[in-house]
Amino acid sequence: MIMPAPFYPGPSKEYENGKPMDRQEFIDALVELGNQRYHSLHPFHKLLHNGKLSFPQVQAWALNRFYYQWSIPRKDLTLMARINDVKLRLEWRSRVIDHEGDIDGSGGIARYLQLCEKLNLDLEYVKSCKGLLPATRFAVDAYVNFVENKSLLEGIASSLTEIYAPAIHQERIAGLSKHYEWADDYALAYFKKRINQARKDVDFGREWVINNAKTRSDQEAVLNAVKFKTEVLWAQLDALYHSYVEPGNIPPGCFIPTDYKLKNVKK
Amino acid sequence: MIMPAPFYPGPSKEYENGKPMDRQEFIDALVELGNQRYHSLHPFHKLLHNGKLSFPQVQAWALNRFYYQWSIPRKDLTLMARINDVKLRLEWRSRVIDHEGDIDGSGGIARYLQLCEKLNLDLEYVKSCKGLLPATRFAVDAYVNFVENKSLLEGIASSLTEIYAPAIHQERIAGLSKHYEWADDYALAYFKKRINQARKDVDFGREWVINNAKTRSDQEAVLNAVKFKTEVLWAQLDALYHSYVEPGNIPPGCFIPTDYKLKNVKK
């Protein structure tokens, strides 16, 4: 799409002549962004990880999150299609393989569907994405659009929320295992496997970004790209909270769990 | 962006050999969609039009809605850039002029800013879009992307929520005038002017769509495009409700009204 300059990150006049941050300052700024904005702080995750969500609420989470999960390789392929450096493309390829696996369906998406299966969701319905909250689709599509339209540096930088991911995956595995009966190894296989994958991806992505963000403007564009990505994640939880927790107004046409108490829903 | 076919409307196998609806059935189906899904039904609008929102909550609404308002001509220009038929392009041009006015800033966007002014919003801040809810941006950008990526029929059809607009504008003008002291002619100029503009646009758009949706598949694609658009509108109100009404969790970095009682906001 035609992205109007003022609304998305890009080199900003403000920093045009600014002194670049050194390596440690830059890393500190990235970490601080996570401390302020990563979706581990979101009330919906607090409820989820502390066993405060009902089974139908967890179903709604898993069903919506599927679209994010499923779109990650689309995002990575969109990015790869814009990379001219073959070595960098090859490096990035492992992310797609991690998610999609081989033709036998052994990748992260298949493992994620194990969670949906344990949650008694109809997998064909999940994969059809018919019950998605529109806000989920808008946020996730915005991410794919971002890597298609922004600079390569910003596109790669937007994946750096992975820096914060291993901690939330560990918190999630511990919390779900403790509080929910269905949360066995089979259900949580995606998150368990993902911890080490994310670590490997982060090491590469972070170093690449640090080495390629030479100016202060570049560095600010990187921080803005990560900020954008935290918004993509946060907005998904806002929508889940609104629709399935409080006030619980499910938008027309979206997933209605069985026996769910309806408020503003026309059947 | 690369739109995967199953997730957005398009000719569907199901209707490939279906009998087309006749004119009245098709219009009835469009009207019924509005009865089920138009954002006039949203709890946030009920609160707004019944005077139940506080001044800061109305500020948040106006500030976020600005991005939608401001993006409509971007959407129309994106669409026009894809139209080969000069007569149709000329017909569509009046929409851009209605919103942007002339160089003197006499269009709908300028009138909309009068509302923001009466609500004591800093107009430069509003126009910077820095305080927007990310969900607003994602939803509105999804609309612009839609008209860029879908068929011309679907792109034009997505504007047909205008069929339902005059009623909500009248309800809004009456409700705001009755319940809010600031809601004078100056503040409501945009909505007052828009009633007749929308009627004119609707007549043209509806006839064009009816005449160009020849098959049942085309007609279903039209209905899906209108459905998509209702989701764009609904999602914006969901996000406002979540952030500024209940539970009132404003996402990091978004507009915080003066003296607003903070919940999950890090300053």
Tab-separated table of all heavy atoms in Angstrom, chain A residues 121-172:
chain	number	residue	atom	x	y	z
A	121	LEU	N	-10.769	-27.571	19.734
A	121	LEU	CA	-11.200	-26.725	18.615
A	121	LEU	C	-11.279	-27.571	17.349
A	121	LEU	O	-10.473	-28.489	17.151
A	121	LEU	CB	-10.204	-25.568	18.417
A	121	LEU	CG	-10.235	-24.486	19.489
A	121	LEU	CD1	-8.972	-23.627	19.411
A	121	LEU	CD2	-11.480	-23.609	19.348
A	122	ASP	N	-12.226	-27.252	16.513
A	122	ASP	CA	-12.332	-27.881	15.194
A	122	ASP	C	-11.192	-27.333	14.335
A	122	ASP	O	-11.182	-26.147	13.986
A	122	ASP	CB	-13.704	-27.530	14.598
A	122	ASP	CG	-13.871	-28.034	13.170
A	122	ASP	OD1	-12.863	-28.367	12.511
A	122	ASP	OD2	-15.031	-28.090	12.725
A	123	LEU	N	-10.231	-28.205	14.002
A	123	LEU	CA	-9.025	-27.708	13.326
A	123	LEU	C	-9.320	-27.128	11.945
A	123	LEU	O	-8.633	-26.202	11.497
A	123	LEU	CB	-7.966	-28.806	13.236
A	123	LEU	CG	-7.461	-29.350	14.594
A	123	LEU	CD1	-6.235	-30.234	14.391
A	123	LEU	CD2	-7.147	-28.226	15.579
A	124	GLU	N	-10.316	-27.667	11.288
A	124	GLU	CA	-10.650	-27.106	9.978
A	124	GLU	C	-11.210	-25.685	10.131
A	124	GLU	O	-10.940	-24.803	9.313
A	124	GLU	CB	-11.656	-28.001	9.229
A	124	GLU	CG	-11.055	-29.318	8.740
A	124	GLU	CD	-9.721	-29.130	8.008
A	124	GLU	OE1	-9.664	-28.295	7.088
A	124	GLU	OE2	-8.731	-29.807	8.381
A	125	TYR	N	-11.981	-25.499	11.184
A	125	TYR	CA	-12.514	-24.159	11.478
A	125	TYR	C	-11.368	-23.202	11.830
A	125	TYR	O	-11.316	-22.057	11.354
A	125	TYR	CB	-13.521	-24.257	12.618
A	125	TYR	CG	-14.125	-22.941	13.057
A	125	TYR	CD1	-15.030	-22.268	12.249
A	125	TYR	CD2	-13.787	-22.373	14.287
A	125	TYR	CE1	-15.587	-21.067	12.641
A	125	TYR	CE2	-14.342	-21.174	14.698
A	125	TYR	CZ	-15.242	-20.522	13.882
A	125	TYR	OH	-15.780	-19.330	14.282
A	126	VAL	N	-10.437	-23.675	12.645
A	126	VAL	CA	-9.286	-22.840	12.998
A	126	VAL	C	-8.550	-22.426	11.731
A	126	VAL	O	-8.279	-21.236	11.505
A	126	VAL	CB	-8.325	-23.592	13.949
A	126	VAL	CG1	-7.034	-22.800	14.157
A	126	VAL	CG2	-8.999	-23.870	15.288
A	127	LYS	N	-8.230	-23.407	10.892
A	127	LYS	CA	-7.440	-23.129	9.693
A	127	LYS	C	-8.200	-22.274	8.669
A	127	LYS	O	-7.595	-21.562	7.877
A	127	LYS	CB	-6.977	-24.441	9.057
A	127	LYS	CG	-5.883	-25.130	9.881
A	127	LYS	CD	-5.202	-26.245	9.117
A	127	LYS	CE	-5.994	-27.541	9.248
A	127	LYS	NZ	-5.298	-28.689	8.610
A	128	SER	N	-9.513	-22.341	8.702
A	128	SER	CA	-10.302	-21.514	7.779
A	128	SER	C	-10.232	-20.042	8.146
A	128	SER	O	-10.510	-19.168	7.346
A	128	SER	CB	-11.770	-21.954	7.794
A	128	SER	OG	-12.430	-21.440	8.956
A	129	CYS	N	-9.857	-19.771	9.400
A	129	CYS	CA	-9.787	-18.396	9.925
A	129	CYS	C	-11.129	-17.678	9.856
A	129	CYS	O	-11.177	-16.443	9.907
A	129	CYS	CB	-8.710	-17.593	9.201
A	129	CYS	SG	-7.054	-18.200	9.536
A	130	LYS	N	-12.205	-18.427	9.778
A	130	LYS	CA	-13.522	-17.792	9.683
A	130	LYS	C	-13.979	-17.149	10.979
A	130	LYS	O	-14.800	-16.245	10.962
A	130	LYS	CB	-14.559	-18.822	9.206
A	130	LYS	CG	-14.462	-19.105	7.716
A	130	LYS	CD	-15.536	-20.064	7.233
A	130	LYS	CE	-15.342	-20.359	5.744
A	130	LYS	NZ	-16.088	-21.553	5.315
A	131	GLY	N	-13.481	-17.644	12.109
A	131	GLY	CA	-13.950	-17.101	13.386
A	131	GLY	C	-13.067	-16.017	13.964
A	131	GLY	O	-13.326	-15.513	15.063
A	132	LEU	N	-12.028	-15.663	13.236
A	132	LEU	CA	-11.073	-14.642	13.704
A	132	LEU	C	-11.722	-13.324	14.082
A	132	LEU	O	-12.650	-12.872	13.392
A	132	LEU	CB	-10.126	-14.268	12.574
A	132	LEU	CG	-8.893	-15.091	12.279
A	132	LEU	CD1	-8.043	-14.303	11.301
A	132	LEU	CD2	-8.139	-15.376	13.548
A	133	LEU	N	-11.182	-12.684	15.086
A	133	LEU	CA	-11.518	-11.275	15.301
A	133	LEU	C	-10.912	-10.459	14.157
A	133	LEU	O	-9.723	-10.621	13.855
A	133	LEU	CB	-10.940	-10.787	16.627
A	133	LEU	CG	-11.496	-11.447	17.890
A	133	LEU	CD1	-10.670	-11.051	19.105
A	133	LEU	CD2	-12.958	-11.061	18.088
A	134	PRO	N	-11.708	-9.579	13.553
A	134	PRO	CA	-11.116	-8.731	12.503
A	134	PRO	C	-9.863	-7.996	12.991
A	134	PRO	O	-8.905	-7.835	12.227
A	134	PRO	CB	-12.247	-7.754	12.168
A	134	PRO	CG	-13.489	-8.554	12.401
A	134	PRO	CD	-13.174	-9.397	13.621
A	135	ALA	N	-9.849	-7.597	14.250
A	135	ALA	CA	-8.678	-6.871	14.768
A	135	ALA	C	-7.417	-7.733	14.717
A	135	ALA	O	-6.315	-7.214	14.522
A	135	ALA	CB	-8.938	-6.402	16.203
A	136	THR	N	-7.574	-9.031	14.901
A	136	THR	CA	-6.423	-9.934	14.771
A	136	THR	C	-5.887	-9.885	13.343
A	136	THR	O	-4.695	-9.739	13.099
A	136	THR	CB	-6.840	-11.389	15.089
A	136	THR	OG1	-7.409	-11.439	16.386
A	136	THR	CG2	-5.651	-12.333	14.995
A	137	ARG	N	-6.805	-10.007	12.406
A	137	ARG	CA	-6.409	-10.016	10.995
A	137	ARG	C	-5.760	-8.689	10.606
A	137	ARG	O	-4.731	-8.663	9.934
A	137	ARG	CB	-7.646	-10.270	10.134
A	137	ARG	CG	-7.332	-10.825	8.778
A	137	ARG	CD	-8.576	-11.387	8.122
A	137	ARG	NE	-9.629	-10.396	8.050
A	137	ARG	CZ	-10.923	-10.679	7.988
A	137	ARG	NH1	-11.339	-11.925	8.026
A	137	ARG	NH2	-11.818	-9.715	7.910
A	138	PHE	N	-6.356	-7.582	11.058
A	138	PHE	CA	-5.805	-6.275	10.693
A	138	PHE	C	-4.389	-6.107	11.253
A	138	PHE	O	-3.494	-5.592	10.582
A	138	PHE	CB	-6.698	-5.141	11.205
A	138	PHE	CG	-8.095	-5.150	10.638
A	138	PHE	CD1	-9.164	-4.606	11.358
A	138	PHE	CD2	-8.363	-5.687	9.376
A	138	PHE	CE1	-10.453	-4.597	10.842
A	138	PHE	CE2	-9.656	-5.687	8.850
A	138	PHE	CZ	-10.706	-5.142	9.590
A	139	ALA	N	-4.194	-6.511	12.496
A	139	ALA	CA	-2.880	-6.333	13.132
A	139	ALA	C	-1.830	-7.213	12.454
A	139	ALA	O	-0.728	-6.750	12.125
A	139	ALA	CB	-2.966	-6.659	14.621
A	140	VAL	N	-2.168	-8.468	12.233
A	140	VAL	CA	-1.200	-9.393	11.642
A	140	VAL	C	-0.894	-8.993	10.202
A	140	VAL	O	0.262	-8.993	9.770
A	140	VAL	CB	-1.719	-10.843	11.733
A	140	VAL	CG1	-0.820	-11.789	10.950
A	140	VAL	CG2	-1.831	-11.272	13.195
A	141	ASP	N	-1.917	-8.630	9.454
A	141	ASP	CA	-1.684	-8.182	8.075
A	141	ASP	C	-0.815	-6.923	8.049
A	141	ASP	O	-0.013	-6.732	7.123
A	141	ASP	CB	-3.010	-7.912	7.357
A	141	ASP	CG	-3.748	-9.207	7.015
A	141	ASP	OD1	-3.171	-10.300	7.187
A	141	ASP	OD2	-4.912	-9.129	6.576
A	142	ALA	N	-0.981	-6.081	9.052
A	142	ALA	CA	-0.147	-4.874	9.118
A	142	ALA	C	1.328	-5.256	9.234
A	142	ALA	O	2.204	-4.581	8.682
A	142	ALA	CB	-0.557	-3.995	10.305
A	143	TYR	N	1.589	-6.349	9.928
A	143	TYR	CA	2.966	-6.824	10.081
A	143	TYR	C	3.520	-7.291	8.723
A	143	TYR	O	4.639	-6.931	8.332
A	143	TYR	CB	2.969	-7.965	11.110
A	143	TYR	CG	4.324	-8.477	11.533
A	143	TYR	CD1	5.483	-7.703	11.446
A	143	TYR	CD2	4.452	-9.770	12.061
A	143	TYR	CE1	6.713	-8.190	11.856
A	143	TYR	CE2	5.672	-10.263	12.480
A	143	TYR	CZ	6.800	-9.475	12.361
A	143	TYR	OH	8.027	-9.969	12.776
A	144	VAL	N	2.732	-8.075	8.001
A	144	VAL	CA	3.188	-8.538	6.684
A	144	VAL	C	3.398	-7.336	5.748
A	144	VAL	O	4.399	-7.254	5.026
A	144	VAL	CB	2.178	-9.540	6.064
A	144	VAL	CG1	2.703	-10.054	4.728
A	144	VAL	CG2	1.920	-10.708	7.013
A	145	ASN	N	2.473	-6.395	5.810
A	145	ASN	CA	2.625	-5.189	4.992
A	145	ASN	C	3.880	-4.411	5.352
A	145	ASN	O	4.524	-3.821	4.490
A	145	ASN	CB	1.425	-4.251	5.194
A	145	ASN	CG	0.264	-4.666	4.324
A	145	ASN	OD1	0.440	-4.966	3.160
A	145	ASN	ND2	-0.923	-4.707	4.907
A	146	PHE	N	4.167	-4.382	6.631
A	146	PHE	CA	5.323	-3.623	7.107
A	146	PHE	C	6.603	-4.128	6.450
A	146	PHE	O	7.391	-3.352	5.912
A	146	PHE	CB	5.408	-3.740	8.633
A	146	PHE	CG	6.438	-2.853	9.270
A	146	PHE	CD1	6.120	-1.575	9.680
A	146	PHE	CD2	7.738	-3.312	9.476
A	146	PHE	CE1	7.075	-0.757	10.282
A	146	PHE	CE2	8.697	-2.499	10.075
A	146	PHE	CZ	8.362	-1.227	10.474
A	147	VAL	N	6.809	-5.455	6.486
A	147	VAL	CA	8.057	-5.982	5.904
A	147	VAL	C	8.049	-5.876	4.376
A	147	VAL	O	9.096	-5.941	3.753
A	147	VAL	CB	8.360	-7.442	6.326
A	147	VAL	CG1	8.416	-7.560	7.841
A	147	VAL	CG2	7.360	-8.411	5.749
A	148	GLU	N	6.876	-5.725	3.819
A	148	GLU	CA	6.839	-5.566	2.365
A	148	GLU	C	7.162	-4.134	1.939
A	148	GLU	O	7.706	-3.904	0.859
A	148	GLU	CB	5.454	-5.946	1.809
A	148	GLU	CG	5.467	-6.002	0.286
A	148	GLU	CD	4.162	-6.476	-0.321
A	148	GLU	OE1	3.168	-6.631	0.423
A	148	GLU	OE2	4.139	-6.700	-1.546
A	149	ASN	N	6.802	-3.178	2.801
A	149	ASN	CA	6.862	-1.780	2.375
A	149	ASN	C	7.992	-0.950	2.970
A	149	ASN	O	8.341	0.080	2.422
A	149	ASN	CB	5.529	-1.093	2.682
A	149	ASN	CG	4.427	-1.596	1.778
A	149	ASN	OD1	4.438	-1.336	0.578
A	149	ASN	ND2	3.493	-2.352	2.333
A	150	LYS	N	8.502	-1.367	4.107
A	150	LYS	CA	9.534	-0.556	4.750
A	150	LYS	C	10.917	-0.972	4.242
A	150	LYS	O	11.051	-1.907	3.455
A	150	LYS	CB	9.441	-0.738	6.266
A	150	LYS	CG	8.068	-0.458	6.854
A	150	LYS	CD	7.592	0.944	6.586
A	150	LYS	CE	8.443	1.938	7.343
A	150	LYS	NZ	7.921	3.313	7.166
A	151	SER	N	11.932	-0.291	4.734
A	151	SER	CA	13.291	-0.652	4.338
A	151	SER	C	13.632	-2.052	4.846
A	151	SER	O	12.996	-2.568	5.780
A	151	SER	CB	14.286	0.354	4.924
A	151	SER	OG	14.341	0.203	6.333
A	152	LEU	N	14.627	-2.657	4.256
A	152	LEU	CA	15.067	-3.988	4.698
A	152	LEU	C	15.501	-3.950	6.158
A	152	LEU	O	15.186	-4.861	6.943
A	152	LEU	CB	16.224	-4.460	3.803
A	152	LEU	CG	16.712	-5.884	4.030
A	152	LEU	CD1	15.586	-6.883	3.849
A	152	LEU	CD2	17.860	-6.209	3.058
A	153	LEU	N	16.204	-2.891	6.517
A	153	LEU	CA	16.633	-2.758	7.908
A	153	LEU	C	15.435	-2.779	8.851
A	153	LEU	O	15.430	-3.484	9.873
A	153	LEU	CB	17.416	-1.436	8.077
A	153	LEU	CG	17.875	-1.104	9.495
A	153	LEU	CD1	18.881	-2.130	10.010
A	153	LEU	CD2	18.487	0.309	9.566
A	154	GLU	N	14.407	-2.020	8.513
A	154	GLU	CA	13.218	-1.983	9.383
A	154	GLU	C	12.484	-3.325	9.363
A	154	GLU	O	11.983	-3.784	10.381
A	154	GLU	CB	12.281	-0.854	8.931
A	154	GLU	CG	12.834	0.532	9.263
A	154	GLU	CD	12.162	1.643	8.466
A	154	GLU	OE1	12.122	1.542	7.208
A	154	GLU	OE2	11.673	2.597	9.088
A	155	GLY	N	12.423	-3.936	8.178
A	155	GLY	CA	11.754	-5.228	8.070
A	155	GLY	C	12.410	-6.270	8.971
A	155	GLY	O	11.732	-7.007	9.693
A	156	ILE	N	13.722	-6.317	8.932
A	156	ILE	CA	14.434	-7.283	9.776
A	156	ILE	C	14.323	-6.886	11.244
A	156	ILE	O	14.099	-7.728	12.119
A	156	ILE	CB	15.903	-7.409	9.307
A	156	ILE	CG1	15.901	-8.148	7.959
A	156	ILE	CG2	16.767	-8.128	10.346
A	156	ILE	CD1	17.265	-8.429	7.374
A	157	ALA	N	14.432	-5.593	11.506
A	157	ALA	CA	14.350	-5.130	12.895
A	157	ALA	C	13.005	-5.497	13.530
A	157	ALA	O	12.935	-5.778	14.735
A	157	ALA	CB	14.556	-3.616	12.953
A	158	SER	N	11.943	-5.520	12.727
A	158	SER	CA	10.622	-5.783	13.315
A	158	SER	C	10.528	-7.187	13.928
A	158	SER	O	9.649	-7.449	14.742
A	158	SER	CB	9.510	-5.571	12.271
A	158	SER	OG	9.627	-6.500	11.217
A	159	SER	N	11.446	-8.069	13.556
A	159	SER	CA	11.431	-9.411	14.160
A	159	SER	C	12.110	-9.431	15.524
A	159	SER	O	12.068	-10.445	16.223
A	159	SER	CB	12.124	-10.411	13.230
A	159	SER	OG	13.518	-10.175	13.198
A	160	LEU	N	12.742	-8.323	15.909
A	160	LEU	CA	13.570	-8.349	17.120
A	160	LEU	C	12.790	-8.440	18.431
A	160	LEU	O	13.392	-8.546	19.497
A	160	LEU	CB	14.508	-7.139	17.165
A	160	LEU	CG	15.689	-7.177	16.186
A	160	LEU	CD1	16.650	-6.030	16.476
A	160	LEU	CD2	16.436	-8.502	16.262
A	161	THR	N	11.468	-8.415	18.372
A	161	THR	CA	10.726	-8.710	19.611
A	161	THR	C	11.073	-10.115	20.104
A	161	THR	O	10.792	-10.453	21.246
A	161	THR	CB	9.206	-8.615	19.395
A	161	THR	OG1	8.853	-9.330	18.207
A	161	THR	CG2	8.763	-7.166	19.271
A	162	GLU	N	11.689	-10.913	19.232
A	162	GLU	CA	12.176	-12.231	19.661
A	162	GLU	C	13.151	-12.132	20.829
A	162	GLU	O	13.325	-13.095	21.571
A	162	GLU	CB	12.880	-12.923	18.492
A	162	GLU	CG	11.923	-13.430	17.437
A	162	GLU	CD	12.626	-13.752	16.123
A	162	GLU	OE1	13.760	-13.263	15.928
A	162	GLU	OE2	12.035	-14.462	15.310
A	163	ILE	N	13.791	-10.986	20.949
A	163	ILE	CA	14.685	-10.788	22.097
A	163	ILE	C	13.935	-11.066	23.400
A	163	ILE	O	14.472	-11.634	24.341
A	163	ILE	CB	15.231	-9.335	22.119
A	163	ILE	CG1	16.166	-9.099	20.941
A	163	ILE	CG2	15.921	-9.029	23.441
A	163	ILE	CD1	16.616	-7.643	20.804
A	164	TYR	N	12.687	-10.650	23.411
A	164	TYR	CA	11.908	-10.774	24.645
A	164	TYR	C	11.141	-12.086	24.732
A	164	TYR	O	10.533	-12.384	25.755
A	164	TYR	CB	10.899	-9.625	24.776
A	164	TYR	CG	11.333	-8.304	24.179
A	164	TYR	CD1	10.562	-7.664	23.208
A	164	TYR	CD2	12.514	-7.684	24.591
A	164	TYR	CE1	10.955	-6.452	22.646
A	164	TYR	CE2	12.914	-6.475	24.028
A	164	TYR	CZ	12.125	-5.871	23.057
A	164	TYR	OH	12.512	-4.684	22.508
A	165	ALA	N	11.143	-12.885	23.653
A	165	ALA	CA	10.240	-14.033	23.579
A	165	ALA	C	10.581	-15.212	24.488
A	165	ALA	O	9.674	-15.791	25.103
A	165	ALA	CB	10.112	-14.501	22.128
A	166	PRO	N	11.846	-15.618	24.599
A	166	PRO	CA	12.098	-16.800	25.423
A	166	PRO	C	11.540	-16.669	26.846
A	166	PRO	O	10.969	-17.623	27.384
A	166	PRO	CB	13.631	-16.908	25.418
A	166	PRO	CG	14.032	-16.325	24.094
A	166	PRO	CD	13.072	-15.166	23.907
A	167	ALA	N	11.637	-15.481	27.420
A	167	ALA	CA	11.129	-15.301	28.791
A	167	ALA	C	9.620	-15.538	28.850
A	167	ALA	O	9.122	-16.230	29.747
A	167	ALA	CB	11.459	-13.889	29.290
A	168	ILE	N	8.881	-14.990	27.878
A	168	ILE	CA	7.420	-15.164	27.935
A	168	ILE	C	7.053	-16.613	27.631
A	168	ILE	O	6.107	-17.154	28.215
A	168	ILE	CB	6.673	-14.189	26.999
A	168	ILE	CG1	5.191	-14.114	27.394
A	168	ILE	CG2	6.779	-14.588	25.553
A	168	ILE	CD1	4.375	-13.129	26.579
A	169	HIS	N	7.803	-17.282	26.765
A	169	HIS	CA	7.496	-18.685	26.488
A	169	HIS	C	7.696	-19.533	27.750
A	169	HIS	O	6.884	-20.403	28.052
A	169	HIS	CB	8.346	-19.206	25.332
A	169	HIS	CG	7.867	-18.736	23.996
A	169	HIS	ND1	8.658	-18.677	22.881
A	169	HIS	CD2	6.647	-18.293	23.594
A	169	HIS	CE1	7.960	-18.224	21.856
A	169	HIS	NE2	6.741	-17.967	22.273
A	170	GLN	N	8.752	-19.252	28.479
A	170	GLN	CA	8.994	-20.008	29.710
A	170	GLN	C	7.912	-19.729	30.746
A	170	GLN	O	7.415	-20.640	31.409
A	170	GLN	CB	10.389	-19.687	30.264
A	170	GLN	CG	11.448	-20.511	29.520
A	170	GLN	CD	12.876	-20.131	29.853
A	170	GLN	OE1	13.166	-18.950	30.066
A	170	GLN	NE2	13.756	-21.111	29.874
A	171	GLU	N	7.548	-18.459	30.860
A	171	GLU	CA	6.481	-18.095	31.803
A	171	GLU	C	5.181	-18.783	31.401
A	171	GLU	O	4.429	-19.281	32.242
A	171	GLU	CB	6.299	-16.569	31.771
A	171	GLU	CG	5.245	-16.040	32.744
A	171	GLU	CD	4.984	-14.542	32.534
A	171	GLU	OE1	5.958	-13.793	32.269
A	171	GLU	OE2	3.814	-14.128	32.610
A	172	ARG	N	4.926	-18.829	30.086
A	172	ARG	CA	3.691	-19.439	29.591
A	172	ARG	C	3.667	-20.942	29.857
A	172	ARG	O	2.670	-21.481	30.340
A	172	ARG	CB	3.542	-19.165	28.087
A	172	ARG	CG	2.318	-19.828	27.472
A	172	ARG	CD	2.091	-19.328	26.073
A	172	ARG	NE	1.979	-17.873	26.068
A	172	ARG	CZ	2.391	-17.084	25.088
A	172	ARG	NH1	2.956	-17.613	24.012
A	172	ARG	NH2	2.237	-15.784	25.168
